[in-house]
Amino acid sequence: MAKKRKRIVTATTATTTTTIDDMPSDTLLLIIGQLGRSDLPSLSLVSKRFRSLADRFVRRLTFPKLPIRNSTLQKLFSRFSSVNHIVLRCVRIPRVLSAVLSSALDIEHLEIVGRPTGGYPSFYEQRRMFSLCGRFQKIKALGLGFCLDKVEDDDLAQFVQNFPSLQELDLSVPGWTDVRINKLTSKVPNLRKISLCWCDTMTDTALDSLSANCVNLEEICFQGWTEFSPEVFCRFLRKARNLRSVKLPDFYQSIMQPELLLLGEAISACENLVHLSIQNRLVNDEILGAISKSRAPLTSLHMELKKNNEAYSMKGVSAMLCAFPELTQLWIELPYADFYLQDERMSHLVKSLPRLKDITVTTHCPMFATLFSLIGNCHLLECIRLYVWMKHYRESHHEQMRRNYSIKRIEIHPDPDKLLKKHLKSICASVTEWNFK
């Protein structure tokens, strides 16, 4: 009897490969949204699809000079359709404004700077520019620069009145007078933020105008030298109850010890303060001690020196860092005094800042202990910048510690010791950007 043959059935399965390019655009946008802004140019080189996706995250366009053809402007605006911030550092500003208005862009932030060496607009260009800007009804932030320096005060005030939704005003160029500040601020009572950097021609009258016209101010920048008197500035701070961010100016006038204490008390009276920036003579142990008594929820602190200040020591640094443990951003220039104790003290002080995400330290003393204390104790830290001489590193400075997976960027200037760089790269496994110069 013949044996039955066994039937062999072979099944063939088709294998398909799924790549990232097969994902829907909505999913890719969520992924791209987690990348840094510096990664977008590289991403746009992958393919046409990735370029169009990366272009959606471009929010700002700056024009240092204009393209030759208007068609180039239209192509640019159609490609970057999500742009809401335009910076004009060029001449012939009305040409760009006209192209923006004819596009589908929804502009909320406009900076009309011009070029310091490019001359001033003619009377016709000025009128044309004012007429075009009046059609940007949704502008919330406005920057005015060199090109409007020769415009009459009344015309400029009338120009600003065209923006009913204006909340931020940037006047960070020299030449603004008390009269011009008064007329401008009287037309924008809902102003929340104003920048007056390097406006050294203003006096106490400008402060009184700000207090009277802008009662809802939350952020103000006075960086640079001013003619303000300490008494009037203290009065201004006490009236501005809603302040959340302050960059203090430097005073031409000499400030006596009682005035320093009054200034520190006025700053501490700002109970909603989140960011504070102080510089030069105001970086003083007396002021820092008075500010440290504040109950403000400070999360960002900037202390900068242009020259040695004998009234500033590690005592003031300790008072500030211990008083505000919720700091997430810290930019600090350490004093010249207590040179040999800085590293040890800072290594202990940073342990009291568990929420710190970004820190910049400038000093003349090597900060090995502080560096490794930051890596080992600040578990939310993402960026470290040290402007300090980090040579003669020894392995005794480096203790065995767990790897850090939160830090994304480390900068040390000038170029540190090679052994230190080797140890840092073995500990900080998640760093994507190293900058040693």
Side-chain angles (χ1 to χ4, degrees):
M1 187 173 179
K3 294 183 179 180
K4 294 182 179 181
R5 294 182 179 179
K6 293 182 179 181
R7 182 178 296 178
I8 301 176
V9 179
T10 60
T12 59
T13 58
T15 59
T16 60
T17 303
T18 302
T19 64
I20 191 172
D21 201 33
D22 298 322
M23 290 185 176
S25 297
D26 293 341
T27 305
L28 288 176
L29 287 174
L30 292 175
I31 297 174
I32 297 173
Q34 304 300 317
L35 300 177
R37 297 299 178 190
S38 59
D39 298 325
L40 295 181
S42 300
L43 181 67
S44 63
L45 299 176
V46 175
S47 63
K48 290 183 178 180
R49 185 189 181 196
F50 274 86
R51 189 187 72 170
S52 63
L53 293 175
D55 290 346
R56 298 188 189 183
F57 292 88
V58 177
R59 299 288 186 267
R60 169 173 169 169
L61 288 179
T62 301
F63 291 90
K65 61 180 181 179
L66 292 183
I68 299 176
R69 299 179 180 177
N70 290 333
S71 59
T72 306
L73 285 173
Q74 296 298 336
K75 290 180 181 179
L76 193 65
F77 295 150
S78 62
R79 173 182 172 183
F80 301 104
S81 58
S82 300
V83 166
N84 59 8
H85 184 178
I86 297 289
V87 183
L88 302 177
R89 301 183 181 276
C90 55
V91 294
R92 300 177 66 184
I93 293 174
R95 179 184 165 194
V96 185
L97 295 177
S98 179
V100 173
L101 287 170
S102 61
S103 68
L105 296 182
D106 191 8
I107 302 299
E108 296 181 354
H109 191 166
L110 178 63
E111 294 185 43
I112 307 175
V113 182
R115 294 174 60 185
T117 59
Y120 301 101
S122 63
F123 180 80
Y124 171 77
E125 290 179 336
Q126 173 185 318
R127 291 299 176 185
R128 176 66 175 161
M129 179 171 60
F130 285 2
S131 175
L132 292 172
C133 286
R135 296 164 60 184
F136 289 94
Q137 296 296 321
K138 296 183 179 180
I139 292 291
K140 296 181 179 179
L142 179 66
L144 304 177
F146 298 98
C147 64
L148 300 176
D149 192 37
K150 299 297 183 181
V151 178
E152 296 294 333
D153 295 342
D154 293 333
D155 293 338
L156 193 59
Q158 187 67 30
F159 164 66
V160 174
Q161 197 175 8
N162 292 325
F163 308 104
S165 303
L166 191 63
Q167 297 180 3
E168 301 181 14
L169 188 59
D170 187 356
L171 308 175
S172 299
V173 292
W176 297 96
T177 61
D178 294 342
V179 175
R180 176 166 285 200
I181 292 297
N182 182 30
K183 292 185 177 182
L184 273 179
T185 54
S186 64
K187 301 298 183 181
V188 283
N190 296 322
L191 207 61
R192 297 290 190 273
K193 179 181 178 180
I194 187 169
S195 179
L196 296 166
C197 301
W198 318 116
C199 296
D200 54 354
T201 56
M202 295 187 303
T203 64
D204 294 339
T205 306
L207 282 179
D208 293 333
S209 299
L210 285 173
S211 297
N213 299 330
C214 305
V215 295
N216 297 319
L217 274 181
E218 296 179 359
E219 298 183 39
I220 191 162
C221 175
F222 283 118
Q223 188 174 0
W225 295 90
T226 61
E227 294 284 355
F228 301 146
S229 62
E231 296 86 359
V232 177
F233 193 80
C234 290
R235 185 176 65 196
F236 168 79
L237 290 177
R238 293 184 184 279
K239 288 183 178 181
R241 294 291 184 180
N242 298 323
L243 280 180
R244 295 175 55 84
S245 175
V246 178
K247 290 186 178 181
L248 296 177
D250 209 344
F251 299 89
Y252 282 122
Q253 300 181 17
S254 59
I255 306 178
M256 306 303 294
Q257 198 70 15
E259 295 173 334
L260 287 174
L261 291 175
L262 289 175
L263 188 57
E265 293 173 359
I267 297 171
S268 62
C270 301
E271 298 181 352
N272 299 318
L273 204 61
V274 175
H275 169 76
L276 176 63
S277 177
I278 52 181
Q279 60 180 340
N280 297 339
R281 288 183 296 173
L282 297 185
V283 184
N284 182 293
D285 286 350
E286 295 292 340
I287 291 184
L288 298 180
I291 297 174
S292 64
K293 299 177 183 179
S294 171
R295 297 181 180 179
L298 204 66
T299 59
S300 177
L301 178 63
H302 186 117
M303 298 195 300
E304 182 180 1
L305 290 173
K306 295 293 179 63
K307 59 182 180 180
N308 185 20
N309 188 347
E310 296 181 355
Y312 174 47
S313 67
M314 288 300 296
K315 178 182 177 181
V317 176
S318 301
M320 289 294 288
L321 299 189
C322 293
F324 303 106
E326 301 297 318
L327 285 176
T328 58
Q329 293 183 336
L330 177 62
W331 199 110
I332 184 170
E333 189 165 349
L334 296 180
Y336 289 76
D338 306 324
F339 180 81
Y340 296 101
L341 301 176
Q342 286 182 4
D343 189 23
E344 180 182 358
R345 291 189 180 182
M346 278 298 294
S347 65
H348 292 291
L349 288 173
V350 295
K351 293 179 181 179
S352 62
L353 305 174
R355 299 182 182 275
L356 197 64
K357 294 183 178 180
D358 191 310
I359 183 171
T360 302
V361 180
T362 302
T363 184
H364 299 276
C365 171
M367 304 294 287
F368 296 114
T370 302
L371 176 60
F372 289 112
S373 180
L374 287 168
I375 296 173
N377 298 288
C378 301
H379 302 294
L380 300 178
L381 194 62
E382 297 178 358
C383 181
I384 300 176
R385 302 181 192 87
L386 297 179
Y387 297 91
V388 57
W389 188 263
M390 298 284 277
K391 297 292 185 180
H392 308 296
Y393 172 73
R394 300 188 303 272
E395 292 191 18
S396 58
H397 293 132
H398 168 65
E399 300 177 358
Q400 294 296 327
M401 60 175 63
R402 296 179 180 178
R403 286 191 172 189
N404 184 293
Y405 293 96
S406 66
I407 301 176
K408 303 294 187 298
R409 179 176 183 176
I410 293 181
E411 296 183 20
I412 301 179
H413 308 277
D415 193 11
D417 194 283
K418 292 183 179 181
L419 184 59
L420 174 61
K421 291 191 285 187
K422 178 181 178 181
H423 283 312
L424 287 176
K425 291 181 179 181
S426 64
I427 297 173
C428 305
S430 59
V431 173
T432 57
E433 186 172 351
W434 299 91
N435 194 344
F436 302 124
K437 293 183 180 179

